[in-house]
Structures are given as structure tokens and as C-alpha cells.
Amino acid sequence: KPPFLREDTEGLILQFENLVQLRVACRQLRTLSYRKVYRAQWKPVQSSAHPVWSVLLYPQFWQKDKLISVALLQCRHLATKEKKKKIPLTKGEVEIRQKMTVEELARAMGKDIDHIYEALLYTDVDLDSLEPDSVLYEDHIKLIVKKSGMKYKSAKLKEEKERENTDAVKRPPADPAVLTPRPPVVTILGHVDHGKTTLLDSLRKTQVASMEAGGITQHIGAFLVHLPSGEKITFLDTPGHAAFSAMRARGTNVTDIVILVVAAEDGVMQQTIESIQHAKNAGVPLILAINKCDKPEADPERVKKELLAHDVVCEEFGGDVQAVNISALKGENLMVLGEATVALAEMLELKADSTGLVEGTVIESRKDKGKGPVTTAIIQRGTLRKGCVLVAGKTWAKVRFMFDENGKAVDAASPGIPVEIMGWKEVPSAGDEILEVESEQRAHEVVAWRIYVEQQEKMKREMEVIEEKQKEHRMEYEKKQQKLVHLTWRQRKAVLYKANKHLMFSKPKERTEMDKNVLSVIVKGDVDGSVEAILNILDSYDAEDECKLDIIHFGMGDISETDINLAEAFNGVVFGFSVKANDSIKQLAAKKGIKIKLHNIIYKFIEDLKDELNSRLPPSVVENTIGEASVLNIFSVTVGKSKIPVAGCRVQKGLLDKKMKFKLIRNRDVIWKGSLSSLRHHKDDVQVIKTGMDCGLSLDKHIEFIIGDEIICYEEKEVQQTTSWDPGF
């Protein structure tokens, strides 16, 4: 063709190619805009179970993948390429700071956000991860302003004055003269089913044990027990299972005395050792209660000797640990145990200041439908009354009502007394310190300060991550630029286009095509302590290479419509512990194909979770041997112009089925796998050869046999894999 015709043809092809790219880019940008609108509906959610842990509710398929970023770049490139149109220049002066978000800079320049993106084309900024709230640094800010034909001036950054610390703190130690005796706070620890709940039930004459699921106390409760002698003892009912070790450890932190329950017939078990360690770490003295002594196989002396290995020395062996043989079920020797507890408390001289501002600890917290946020607390100093203003964690309360362990309203609670408190604005976390403040205004100041401190720490962590990512990206960008440094700008553009061309025309993945090896879960629990304990178990998950476990949301209360919608967005499963889902929620879940798993027993909860993990693992192929034969002779058969090796074999075990798969074993190594081309018995073609029979066979591949080779007949079966995660049950 003449040169001028060839040039026109190339120009038309280029224009056509640009139009196709622009159409694809626009279509994909519409998808991106939809995703942005949809994602904007979700905000970071923070549960009271982990105050510092913010769970980002952003599904994986909402993240801008390479496809979208390439489309975005291509669209911006085409917009700037046509007629070599440059970024419009605007006269003016922009006041800049050392750090500004994309949105802030656009507002300061009087431009839209797309203008900022265009200015950052062909720079080392990672446009793929750039959002309106992304932080830009001074060198990039100046570059954008210069490209826009504007001048900049640095705003005099007023260094933020160090904010005055308005946090509430404990009072100085009280004058010994004002201290008065208080009831001891006792924690009962021990192994699963060794009788802790039965012991408490016998002491306080309630039927807690009959309501427990699976014989395991599910969360911490606090109770005041009145002994016949008039003495009072406050008991913390802590879980007796390894899964709740964190709650048990926290229980000992507010404890004066630990009663270690050991079953006389079982002796020292795993949770027994853990309980001893928790008490030692907290510096709390022990009393040994050897339970189930009414059983014939009971051996209290063996228990005492086993405990010697763990530095628990009873008085009869020259130690200082009191040991009491009891039967919690029959109520034997319970008063002796109570007297031992009171005697130890007298030796400890437990006293507290019952005047002034209140100090205490949150033992448990939950959200009650009728009462709102409720906490069970132990008062450690001062006297709590109605109308007191309290702060705990990042929430506060004006005490509206208080209840004792029997649900009766009380007007005051002195040190050592457990009490249920109503009036909290939000649910505090179990283990939070409770402090009384002078007024509601003061409570607002304290909470605001604590939120500010947390935000500052979070911002500091985020900035460190951002700076590290930017450093990595800059290094990667410089490496790429080194490879292109010898090319002209046209050649560079061609290389980049060819490298990303395959992404331009690929379709975005649908949600149903997301990685199957991911289990997204929503965890709901009845109380804060239960949720925390479950999260502690899930934190031990260490099989990410098999199946990724994503906790997309956790909280307290019954299953809600929000949980179902969230599970649908993430293709996840809703797990509930000691909570309910009403009929309308179940119908909604069934309609959307969302699984709701409700449990009251921690064993079942974890087993069900492991089953869900297993269902997402690809099946493994297992070989099932059907028969084995030995090669006793070798010869060949001429077929046309080629010779086929034939093995004379005898079946040693099982049978040989021509329809199955075979493999040839030589010196314990697999030489060949495949199928048989022929199987004969006395010159007759057969399908099956049984044990003890001789046969001749040839393979579907030319392989020379050796006397002594083994022929294995087998079938392949798919077997569901199981996760290697062991949560310690």
C-alpha cells in the first residue's frame, strides 16, 4: 500500500482501539462507582468485647482490584491523550499543609477529586490504593499544585497544644484508721465437671447447676453467700473449661482467695494445673476442696500427693494450704469449707474504705432487652448508691437501679459486695475498672479523653503502616522505572499497555466465585465474657494455609436482620452462642441461603465451626488397593511390526479388575500408573482375575517388565479433608 494509505489505516485502527478501551473502562468504572456507593453504607464496627479491636466490614470483592485500577488509569489516560489535552491551569494560591487527604487538597484547590488523580498519573503514587481519605505528603501535594499551574504557600502549622489529661484515676491509699472489714471475694476454680457449680449451688441454695448446659458454667457470675455464723463470702462463679482461660484469669485478679476443686476419683487434670498457675500469677492463696469423697473410688490422699508436684503443699505435709474433703452433691463438710475460708480471710485482714468515691471492677456485662446495658460488678472501695455517676472503659453510667444476686433491688452496695448495675450508656467490657466521678460533665470529659487517647494510638499505628507501604511501593516503582529508563515515552506506554492488556478485557469476579477456601463468620453471644472467650479460641486458629478464617463481625444479643445481611454480603455463616433467632430472622436467612448455627455448649460450637471449615477444604484423593500380583515371567507378543511386553503374573491378594487403575512397583518405586491394554487367562480375554490365579497382562504404555515387579490394582476415592486446627479440646 502507498505510505499515506498505510498511515491512515494505522490511525483508524488506533482510534478504534482507543474507543474499545474507553467503552470497557467506562463500563468498569460504573461497576466501581456502584461498589463505592454500596461500601459507603458500612462503617467500622467496634464491639465492647475487644475495645481496641475495630473490625472493618469491607468484603474482599469490594476492594479495587488490578482490573479496576487498570481501567481507571486507561480511562484517565484516554481522557488526557485526546488532542494532547493537558491538565487545565488555574491561577491562584493554595494553602497547603505537610499532610493532606486527597479530598482536603481538592477542596483547597477548588477542584474535584478526579483532577487530583489526573495530576498523579505517571508518578510513583499507587493510584490503585488511593481513596478520597488517603493521606498525601508534602512533595506530592506540591507536585499536584504545580501541575495545575497554581502556586502554593505553606500554612503555618500550629503545633497542637498537648491536650490536658482529664482521665479519672484511683484515689490515694486510704488512712488505715478508716478501714473496715469486708467480705472476702472467693473464686472457685478447677477442672471440667469436678463439681464447681454443684458446690456453689449447695452453698447459695439456688438451682444454677440445673440450668447449665453441658455441665459447664458458661460465663462469670458473682454471688453473696450468707453462712450460719453470720459471715458473708462473695463468690465469683468462673467457667471451668480451658476455652475460658482468659475469663478465669481475669476472675482471679479481683479475688482474695481461690478454692481449688479437685475430684477425688480423677485427681489433678489439665485445667487443675492451669487454675493453680492463674492463682500463683495473681498472688492469691489457695484452699483445696477435694470433692466427690462419697464415691467408693475416691482417693483424697492421692490428690494431695499429686498436687505436691505443682507446689501445692497441704498442711499435713508441712505446707500452708488447707485441705477439706467434701461432697458438694450431698452437702457434706460444706460448713467446714466455709469456716476454712473465713479463717483464711481473717488471717489476710481484708479491709476496705467504705467512704468517698466508688472504685470497683466489672465482672460481667450484657445487654438486656428490658434493662438495657447491665453490668455485674464487685465494689472495692466506697459505697455505691443510686444516682452515682460511674465511668468504665469508654462509657459511663448514672446508676438508676441496683440488684443483688437474687434480683432484688438494693439501695447501697459496700466493698466486697457484688451488685448488678443499670444505667450504662453503652456496655463496658468485662474486667474494666469502675471509677466514680463528681458529675455527668466530668464523666463526659473522662470518656472523651479515653477515646482521644485510643484514636491517637490508632492513628500512630496506621501512619506507621502507611509509611511502610509507601516505602515498599516507592522501591517497587523505582525498580520498574529502571527497566524502562532506556525507552522513549512512546515505547514505555506500549510496554505498559501490553503488560496490562489481558486485564482490560477480563470480567470482574462475581461474589459466588470468591475464594472457596475462606470461611467468613459472624459471632454473637449472650454476654461480653462469652464473646471474648470464643474470640480467644478463634485467635488460636493456625491453619490459614488450608482455609482462611475471617471474623467479619462479633457482638452481643440475638441474631438480627443486620447480621443476616452482612453474612449475605460476605457469603458467611452466623454463629450464635446462648442467643436466639426469631422465626422472621430464620425465614430471612433461609430465603437468602444463609446458615445460622445456634449452640449452648462450647464443645458443639467449636465442632460445628470445624465442620464448616472442613466443608471448604478441597477433597483429597485416596488410593484404595483392590488387588496385588507378582510378575513371575516375562515375554513379548508381536502385534503388526511392534513387540508388546507381556507379564505373566499370579494374583497374591484381592483381585485384578481390568476396569480399575493399575501401577507398576519396582524396588518400592512407582514406575508407571495407568490402565491395562489386555488381561488374559489361558488365552481368553477376561475382565477379572481372582486370588491365586495366573494371568498375562500388558500395559497401555511400552514398559519392559522385570521378574519380581509388583502389579497393584487400585481405585481412587475422594475423601473430605479435615482441618489441622486443634483448639485444645
Side-chain angles (χ1 to χ4, degrees):
K1 294 181 182 180
F4 65 91
L5 284 177
R6 187 162 57 250
E7 289 176 3
D8 290 345
T9 304
E10 290 176 353
L12 287 172
I13 291 172
L14 180 61
Q15 290 181 17
F16 178 73
E17 187 180 30
N18 287 342
L19 286 172
V20 171
Q21 294 172 9
L22 180 60
R23 181 177 178 274
V24 173
C26 290
R27 185 172 68 243
Q28 294 170 348
L29 281 173
R30 283 198 298 273
T31 303
L32 174 61
S33 64
Y34 166 75
R35 290 177 179 180
K36 280 188 175 181
V37 171
Y38 199 77
R39 188 172 76 182
Q41 298 173 3
W42 299 100
K43 301 293 181 183
V45 171
Q46 184 160 321
S47 170
S48 63
H50 279 276
V52 185
W53 182 3
S54 295
V55 180
L56 298 179
L57 302 181
Y58 295 157
Q60 295 175 11
F61 62 88
W62 286 333
Q63 296 176 356
K64 293 187 296 182
D65 52 18
K66 290 183 179 179
L67 168 68
I68 300 302
S69 61
V70 171
L72 187 62
L73 288 171
Q74 194 68 27
C75 183
R76 289 174 181 156
H77 167 67
L78 291 171
T80 55
K81 177 183 173 183
E82 189 176 356
K83 297 182 183 179
K84 297 183 179 180
K85 186 162 62 179
K86 296 182 179 179
I87 297 172
L89 303 181
T90 308
K91 299 290 183 182
E93 197 172 48
V94 182
E95 191 176 77
I96 66 171
R97 300 192 304 274
Q98 288 182 342
K99 295 177 184 179
M100 298 177 74
T101 65
V102 173
E103 193 172 13
E104 288 172 347
L105 180 58
R107 196 182 306 119
M109 295 174 65
K111 304 287 185 181
D112 57 19
I113 291 176
D114 281 341
H115 178 90
I116 307 298
Y117 284 123
E118 289 177 25
L120 290 172
L121 281 171
Y122 308 113
T123 68
D124 65 336
V125 175
D126 183 12
L127 295 180
D128 186 27
S129 62
L130 207 62
E131 295 282 353
D133 58 352
S134 297
V135 177
L136 296 173
Y137 288 86
E138 192 172 17
D139 53 345
H140 292 129
I141 294 171
K142 291 178 179 179
L143 178 64
I144 294 167
V145 174
K146 284 180 180 178
K147 277 191 174 184
S148 303
M150 304 172 76
K151 295 181 180 180
Y152 61 82
K153 65 176 181 178
S154 297
K156 295 294 182 183
L157 295 178
K158 298 177 182 178
E159 293 192 7
E160 187 177 354
K161 291 182 180 179
E162 189 173 341
R163 191 164 171 175
E164 184 182 355
N165 187 336
T166 57
D167 200 4
V169 294
K170 286 185 175 182
R171 291 182 285 153
D175 184 353
V178 301
L179 299 181
T180 55
R182 64 169 177 82
V185 179
V186 179
T187 297
I188 296 190
L189 301 179
H191 191 71
V192 178
D193 290 335
H194 274 202
K196 300 177 301 300
T197 304
T198 308
L199 174 58
L200 280 170
D201 180 48
S202 299
L203 286 170
R204 58 198 159 130
K205 303 298 181 185
T206 60
Q207 295 300 313
V208 174
S210 62
M211 298 169 60
E212 297 293 355
I216 299 176
T217 308
Q218 302 298 348
H219 56 266
I220 292 177
F223 307 90
L224 187 67
V225 175
H226 298 262
L227 298 180
S229 61
E231 300 287 346
K232 297 177 182 178
I233 302 175
T234 296
F235 285 94
L236 295 185
D237 183 8
T238 58
H241 194 279
F244 295 109
S245 59
M247 294 168 62
R248 182 163 59 235
R250 186 177 61 242
T252 59
N253 289 338
V254 295
T255 299
D256 302 312
I257 299 169
V258 164
I259 294 180
L260 181 66
V261 178
V262 184
E265 81 277 21
D266 289 340
V268 176
M269 305 292 280
Q270 179 186 349
Q271 281 82 34
T272 310
I273 299 169
E274 289 181 7
S275 300
I276 294 169
Q277 195 58 48
H278 287 316
K280 286 182 178 179
N281 292 341
V284 179
L286 284 169
I287 294 177
L288 176 61
I290 303 176
N291 194 21
K292 303 184 182 181
C293 288
D294 55 311
K295 291 191 173 184
E297 61 272 24
D299 189 355
E301 294 304 315
R302 179 173 68 90
V303 173
K304 296 175 185 177
K305 291 176 182 177
E306 287 179 354
L307 288 170
L308 290 173
H310 305 285
D311 295 329
V312 177
V313 185
C314 297
E315 289 178 337
E316 60 187 86
F317 295 126
D320 56 358
V321 176
Q322 300 178 75
V324 182
N325 297 345
I326 65 169
S327 172
L329 189 61
K330 294 185 177 181
E332 295 176 0
N333 275 352
L334 297 189
M335 289 304 101
V336 177
L337 180 62
E339 290 169 5
T341 305
V342 171
L344 181 57
E346 289 176 355
M347 290 175 60
L348 296 174
E349 295 184 351
L350 301 175
K351 294 182 179 181
D353 177 12
S354 59
T355 63
L357 298 177
V358 172
E359 297 173 9
T361 300
V362 176
I363 300 302
E364 189 48 84
S365 59
R366 59 189 171 87
K367 186 170 283 187
D368 188 279
K369 284 186 177 179
K371 300 177 181 177
V374 176
T375 63
T376 301
I378 296 287
I379 306 304
Q380 295 167 305
R381 189 174 181 181
T383 301
L384 183 64
R385 294 183 174 85
K386 284 185 185 179
C388 288
V389 180
L390 310 175
V391 291
K394 296 186 293 298
T395 186
W396 65 281
K398 184 171 184 179
V399 180
R400 292 166 48 206
F401 296 100
M402 295 183 295
F403 303 94
D404 64 10
E405 68 276 6
N406 299 315
K408 295 181 180 178
V410 294
D411 295 325
S414 54
I417 303 297
V419 65
E420 193 174 64
I421 303 170
M422 277 181 58
W424 295 96
K425 304 304 176 185
E426 301 291 340
V427 180
S429 296
D432 279 351
E433 182 183 66
I434 295 176
L435 296 174
E436 183 185 359
V437 293
E438 297 82 0
S439 63
E440 293 184 26
Q441 182 182 353
R442 177 77 179 106
H444 283 294
E445 290 177 359
V446 173
V447 172
W449 168 259
R450 293 179 178 181
I451 293 174
Y452 167 76
V453 170
E454 185 182 84
Q455 288 174 343
Q456 293 299 308
E457 291 175 353
K458 182 182 175 184
M459 191 181 303
K460 183 180 178 181
R461 290 194 302 269
E462 288 177 348
M463 289 306 301
E464 289 174 354
V465 173
I466 290 170
E467 289 172 0
E468 186 64 29
K469 289 288 183 184
Q470 287 185 337
K471 183 180 177 181
E472 290 176 7
H473 178 71
R474 186 181 291 273
M475 291 174 64
E476 185 181 345
Y477 173 79
E478 289 174 354
K479 286 181 181 178
K480 289 180 180 178
Q481 290 299 106
Q482 287 295 326
K483 296 178 181 178
L484 305 176
V485 70
H486 63 285
L487 303 176
T488 65
W489 71 271
R490 289 182 182 275
Q491 291 172 327
R492 290 181 194 175
K493 189 180 74 171
V495 169
L496 292 172
Y497 174 72
K498 287 178 182 177
N500 297 315
K501 187 175 181 180
H502 68 286
L503 294 171
M504 288 294 300
F505 300 99
S506 61
K507 294 181 180 179
K509 291 184 178 180
E510 300 293 335
R511 177 172 63 86
T512 54
E513 297 175 1
M514 288 177 63
D515 188 1
K516 292 181 180 179
N517 290 344
V518 176
L519 175 60
S520 299
V521 297
I522 295 170
V523 177
K524 298 297 288 289
D526 56 339
V527 292
D528 179 73
S530 296
V531 175
E532 180 185 0
I534 292 168
L535 292 176
N536 286 338
I537 298 172
L538 300 186
D539 282 344
S540 71
Y541 184 71
D542 56 0
E544 293 284 343
D545 55 329
E546 298 172 357
C547 179
K548 186 177 180 183
L549 179 62
D550 277 343
I551 305 168
I552 56 177
H553 174 59
F554 58 88
M556 291 177 292
D558 290 341
I559 310 300
S560 65
E561 185 177 347
T562 303
D563 299 326
I564 303 302
N565 293 333
L566 195 55
E568 182 189 23
F570 283 83
N571 194 22
V573 180
V574 181
F575 283 88
F577 186 74
S578 294
V579 296
K580 299 176 183 178
N582 60 40
D583 291 339
S584 62
I585 294 297
K586 290 180 180 178
Q587 291 172 5
L588 177 65
K591 183 179 178 181
K592 296 188 174 185
I594 301 301
K595 295 180 184 177
I596 299 179
K597 309 278 191 173
L598 301 178
H599 296 282
N600 291 322
I601 303 173
I602 193 68
Y603 293 110
K604 300 293 184 183
F605 184 99
I606 299 303
E607 285 175 5
D608 208 344
L609 178 63
K610 290 178 74 173
D611 288 342
E612 283 296 326
L613 288 167
N614 294 339
S615 69
R616 280 162 170 75
L617 298 179
S620 60
V621 178
V622 177
E623 293 182 0
N624 183 26
T625 301
I626 296 174
E628 299 176 5
S630 300
V631 177
L632 304 178
N633 200 359
I634 53 175
F635 50 92
S636 61
V637 176
T638 303
V639 178
K641 294 183 179 181
S642 59
K643 289 186 178 182
I644 306 297
V646 177
C649 304
R650 178 170 296 162
V651 180
Q652 306 291 346
K653 187 189 297 184
L655 55 85
L656 304 186
D657 189 339
K658 189 179 178 183
K659 293 182 295 184
M660 297 299 174
K661 295 185 177 182
F662 289 79
K663 57 185 175 181
L664 175 62
I665 308 294
R666 182 176 298 161
N667 298 327
R668 299 184 179 180
D669 294 328
V670 178
I671 304 300
W672 159 89
K673 277 187 175 184
S675 57
L676 300 183
S677 60
S678 68
L679 180 63
R680 293 192 173 191
H681 179 64
H682 298 315
K683 298 185 179 181
D684 296 327
D685 287 325
V686 293
Q687 288 295 322
V688 176
I689 300 291
K690 297 182 179 179
T691 304
M693 296 175 63
D694 295 335
C695 64
L697 57 83
S698 59
L699 313 180
D700 61 359
K701 185 178 180 181
H702 185 94
I703 294 179
E704 295 293 340
F705 294 101
I706 297 177
I707 294 175
D709 285 350
E710 293 180 71
I711 305 294
I712 306 296
C713 175
Y714 68 95
E715 63 177 346
E716 291 182 343
K717 287 186 177 180
E718 287 190 349
V719 179
Q720 181 61 53
Q721 291 190 66
T722 57
T723 178
S724 62
W725 175 45
D726 181 13
F729 288 87

